[in-house]
Amino acid sequence: MRCLFWLLPGLLLLASCGGSRNAGNGSTKAPRGTYTQTGLGSYYADKFNGRATASGSTYRPGQMTAAHNTLPFGTVIRVTNTRNGRSVDVTVTDRGPHTKGYIVDVSRRAAEQLDIVSAGVVPVRLVVIKAAP
């Protein structure tokens, strides 16, 4: 019985220690402005032009799209290059990036507006602007 007395508070303490770099309510639909994330951002290589994305759409470098590992397809996110403050709004149409620490891959057009093409990878912050329908 004494073990149970000490075990329960210990488990509650451990449960409260869990953390995440993602802020939000944990739902699959992220309400506008409540989901933010920071990490590294990159852009799609030109070789993906014309290929199908995970959502079924075709990747086009001239569109304002992005890949994110968990946000629902159709979610509009604002990606900000934290080095220069430039931001773009893109729609999640694909899954990725598949490299640890990377949180978003943006289309070539978005990368040009963010000024990340020459760098390839930059620190970014993203915020949900419009939840997926």
Side-chain angles (χ1 to χ4, degrees):
M1 191 67 158
R2 280 187 187 211
C3 286
L4 191 56
F5 176 77
W6 290 106
L7 183 62
L8 185 57
L11 289 174
L12 290 173
L13 180 62
L14 282 174
S16 68
C17 291
S20 174
R21 292 175 62 170
N22 303 339
N25 64 6
S27 70
T28 55
K29 272 194 162 183
R32 182 176 182 236
T34 62
Y35 182 94
T36 62
Q37 191 176 22
T38 58
L40 296 174
S42 57
Y43 68 97
Y44 283 89
D46 291 335
K47 70 180 182 180
F48 294 107
N49 184 21
R51 292 191 188 176
T53 64
S55 68
S57 66
T58 301
Y59 170 67
R60 300 282 181 225
Q63 296 177 337
M64 298 295 283
T65 59
H68 189 275
N69 279 315
T70 59
L71 289 172
F73 299 135
T75 301
V76 178
I77 55 176
R78 178 163 294 146
V79 179
T80 302
N81 177 340
T82 60
R83 285 187 181 160
N84 62 20
R86 292 184 183 186
S87 295
V88 294
D89 293 352
V90 291
T91 303
V92 176
T93 60
D94 203 2
R95 291 291 171 232
H98 304 292
T99 304
K100 186 176 180 173
Y102 288 45
I103 61 168
V104 68
D105 278 334
V106 297
S107 63
R108 175 84 181 198
R109 180 174 172 205
E112 289 168 354
Q113 291 181 23
L114 289 168
D115 194 27
I116 65 172
V117 175
S118 60
V121 178
V122 297
V124 296
R125 179 180 67 250
L126 66 84
V127 178
V128 170
I129 300 303
K130 182 180 176 190

